[in-house]
Amino acid sequence: MTEKRAIDGFGATALIGFSALLAFNQVVIKLTTAGIAPAAQAGFRSVGAVIVLLIWAYARGIRFTVPRAALGWGILSGFLFAFEFLCLFLALDLTTVSRASIIFYTMPVWLALAAHFLLPGERLTGIRILGLALAVLGVVIAMGDRSNGQASLAGDILALLGTLGWAAVALMVRATPLSQTAPVTQLMFQVVISAPIMLAFAALSGPMIRDFEPVYLLSLAFQSICIASLGFLSWFWLLTIYRASSVASFAFLAPVLSVILGWLVLGEHIGPLIWVALVMVATGIFLINRR
C-alpha cells in the first residue's frame, strides 16, 4: 500500500478552497429559501446531483458495483442523508447562517466521540478530549445565546440533528461493508435515495415554490454540481492522496468562513457570545483532528 502524503501546497489550497465552497453554500441555501421551500430545494439538489454523477461516471467508464453485504447499508445511508439535509435546510430557513454553521460543522466532534467506542484505533487522547469539550461547550454557548432577534431554538436543534445525521453517515462509510464500495457509489446511494424522500416531504409540507426567479435555478445548479456531486467527489479524491487526519484538520475552517460570509453577505448580526462559540468550536475541531 502506498503511503499517503502529508499536505503540500496544492493540497492546502484545494482544502481551503473546498472549505470556502461549503461556507458559501450555506449562504446560497439561505438566500434560495426565499424562492424555493427548504425541503424542495434539498430534493431538487439531489436530483441534479444524480444527473451529474451519471454523466461523470459514463464519461469515465465507471460502473456502479455494490457487494450484497453493502446493499442494506447503502440504502440506510440514503435515508440518513435525507434526514441530515432536511434538518440543515430547514434550520437555515429558521435561523441565521452563522448559528446554523457553528452547530452543523461540529460533525468531526460527534464522529470522534462515536469512533472512540466503535472503531478500533480511534480512541480519544487527552488533547482530543480537550478539543471535544471545547467544541461541545461552544455549541452550548451558541444555542444559549438568545440576544439576536433572528435566533431560533428550533433552527438550532435542527442544525444539531443534521450534524448528528452527517456523523452517522460518515461512521457508516467507515465501519460497515459500505466501505468496500467506491466513493462515487456511496455518494450515488445517498443522492438517489434522498431525492424522492425530500421531495415527498416538501410536497406534503406546503408550496414547493415560493417565488420563482431564474437566479434560483442557478442556485440549484451550483449546489448540484459544485457541492452535492463533483464537490464531494473532489473531497474523496483528496482523501486518496493525502492522510485522512491531515485532510480532516481543515474542517475547522468551514464554520469560521460561514460566519464571516453570513456577516459580510447577509448582514447578520453576530453578538460577542457567537464569536466566542465560534472560536471554541473551531479550536475544538482542530484539536480533535490533530495528530
Side-chain angles (χ1 to χ4, degrees):
M1 181 182 293
T2 304
E3 183 178 357
K4 294 180 182 178
R5 306 201 307 254
I7 297 294
D8 53 21
F10 171 80
T13 302
L15 288 165
I16 292 171
F18 186 73
S19 294
L21 199 63
L22 290 180
F24 180 66
N25 187 54
Q26 303 285 59
V27 175
V28 170
I29 293 170
K30 179 72 173 180
L31 292 172
T32 308
T33 55
I36 304 175
Q41 187 182 165
F44 290 141
R45 184 182 84 156
S46 282
V47 171
V50 170
I51 296 170
V52 173
L53 286 175
L54 286 174
I55 294 172
W56 185 84
Y58 177 79
R60 295 180 60 88
I62 295 174
R63 298 182 62 186
F64 296 98
T65 56
V66 184
R68 181 172 298 180
L71 181 60
W73 293 107
I75 294 171
L76 180 57
S77 74
F79 279 92
L80 286 172
F81 187 87
F83 173 78
E84 170 195 340
F85 282 102
L86 277 175
C87 288
L88 174 62
F89 278 64
L90 290 170
L92 287 168
D93 194 37
L94 295 172
T95 192
T96 62
V97 167
S98 55
R99 298 178 66 85
S101 298
I102 288 173
I103 298 169
F104 185 73
Y105 284 118
T106 55
M107 186 278 283
V109 175
W110 316 113
L111 179 59
L113 184 60
H116 173 76
F117 296 102
L118 299 175
L119 295 180
E122 294 285 346
R123 304 287 293 180
L124 289 171
T125 61
I127 196 71
R128 299 182 81 198
I129 291 173
L130 174 61
L132 190 148
L134 280 173
V136 171
L137 184 57
V139 169
V140 171
I141 291 173
M143 295 184 71
D145 176 29
R146 318 310 312 164
S147 61
N148 187 347
Q150 296 175 289
S152 164
L153 181 59
D156 293 348
I157 292 172
L158 283 167
L160 182 59
L161 291 174
T163 196
L164 293 176
W166 185 9
V169 171
L171 184 66
M172 186 179 300
V173 167
R174 294 174 59 184
T176 72
L178 195 59
S179 62
Q180 302 169 16
T181 62
V184 66
T185 301
Q186 296 168 7
L187 189 55
M188 183 62 85
F189 261 124
Q190 293 165 23
V191 292
V192 164
I193 293 170
S194 67
I197 294 172
M198 293 188 288
L199 289 175
F201 182 91
L204 294 173
S205 58
M208 298 172 73
I209 304 300
R210 295 173 171 176
D211 179 27
F212 179 79
E213 294 288 344
V215 68
Y216 298 134
L217 295 179
L218 292 176
S219 164
L220 289 175
F222 166 78
Q223 293 183 55
S224 298
I225 298 170
C226 299
I227 303 296
S229 54
L230 300 185
F232 283 115
L233 281 178
S234 299
W235 172 265
F236 286 131
W237 176 67
L238 290 170
L239 282 172
T240 66
I241 300 174
Y242 302 105
R243 297 167 188 162
S245 58
S246 299
V247 172
S249 68
F250 282 78
F252 77 97
L253 285 174
V256 173
L257 294 172
S258 292
V259 169
I260 293 173
L261 285 173
W263 173 53
L264 289 175
V265 179
L266 300 176
E268 294 182 349
H269 170 73
I270 303 173
L273 285 179
I274 293 298
W275 288 113
V276 171
L278 174 62
V279 170
M280 296 182 74
V281 167
T283 303
I285 293 172
F286 177 78
L287 292 177
I288 285 170
N289 289 296
R290 183 174 178 268
R291 291 293 186 269

